[in-house]
Amino acid sequence: MLSDIAYIGLGSNLGAPVKQLEQALGAIGQHSQMTLVSHSHFYSSLPMGPQDQPDYVNAVCKIKTSMQPQELLATLQIIENQQGRERLGDRWGPRTLDLDILLYNDLVLKTKHLTLPHYGMQEREFVLVPLFELSPDLTMQDGRPLANWVAKCNLEGLYRINPKVSSLTTSASVT
């Protein structure tokens, strides 16, 4: 039974990023142990790490799943690999696809391979804004409303992508 709720962060800056995210959403939606409930708009954002790489395209999706967190992580990594993800050890480097479990129900977890809620998401506007778009009334594990986190993040460099344009041309600033 698909009863657990998870939010997945999606990101890409190589190999037609919009197409990469669309294909990833398709793979998630077609998986027998996941149901794609909704997804945010796509956003263009500056890279977190080295600035000598293309801007990212990011989104967040909400799913229902019957998988436990570790199994969900392994499944998302398979989807990444199927779309050409190479793990070269370059933290915050360019990538065809990055899928991160942001939240899994109200679970707080820290293992060698998985931290929930996702570490650092509190400072990442490219995660918080799309997550807020999907669930504006969400209360985070620290007891504070998601809106408080969003209000504190820097929105400079984050733009919603016009869905009718397949390039990284941006249509409007997020304010």
Side-chain angles (χ1 to χ4, degrees):
M1 183 170 179
L2 304 175
S3 59
D4 293 310
I5 299 291
Y7 291 89
I8 310 299
L10 301 92
S12 174
N13 72 342
L14 295 176
V18 169
K19 184 177 177 184
Q20 291 285 353
L21 268 57
E22 289 170 345
Q23 288 177 338
L25 289 168
I28 289 168
Q30 292 176 3
H31 195 279
S32 64
Q33 291 181 282
M34 289 186 272
T35 297
L36 181 62
V37 175
S38 59
H39 68 83
S40 70
H41 287 92
F42 291 1
Y43 292 84
S44 174
S45 66
L46 300 172
M48 256 188 81
Q51 297 299 299
D52 62 341
Q53 60 180 314
D55 287 353
Y56 274 79
V57 175
N58 297 99
V60 170
C61 70
K62 179 180 181 179
I63 65 166
K64 287 186 179 180
T65 185
S66 59
M67 290 183 273
Q68 292 301 302
Q70 296 288 359
E71 184 183 4
L72 178 58
L73 176 64
T75 300
L76 295 174
Q77 289 174 342
I78 289 169
I79 293 170
E80 290 176 339
N81 293 342
Q82 289 171 340
Q83 290 188 218
R85 170 79 186 258
E86 294 180 8
R87 297 183 191 283
L88 304 173
D90 187 11
R91 187 175 182 143
W92 297 317
R95 55 199 64 187
T96 54
L97 183 61
D98 189 26
L99 300 174
D100 293 321
I101 304 172
L102 304 173
L103 301 166
Y104 186 98
N105 294 327
D106 292 329
L107 184 64
V108 175
L109 177 71
K110 185 165 182 142
T111 70
K112 182 179 177 184
H113 299 288
L114 182 60
T115 299
L116 295 170
H118 189 277
Y119 68 91
M121 70 184 255
Q122 190 168 349
E123 295 87 31
R124 297 177 180 173
E125 72 283 350
F126 57 86
V127 169
L128 294 177
V129 170
L131 181 59
F132 184 78
E133 181 183 324
L134 292 180
S135 295
D137 297 326
L138 193 63
T139 299
M140 303 309 288
Q141 281 77 351
D142 66 358
R144 294 184 352 218
L146 174 60
N148 288 7
W149 287 21
V150 173
K152 293 180 181 180
C153 69
N154 179 1
L155 300 178
E156 190 174 324
L158 183 71
Y159 301 93
R160 189 162 64 183
I161 296 173
N162 183 340
K164 294 182 181 0
V165 178
S166 60
S167 69
L168 285 182
T169 304
T170 56
S171 61
S173 174
V174 176
T175 56

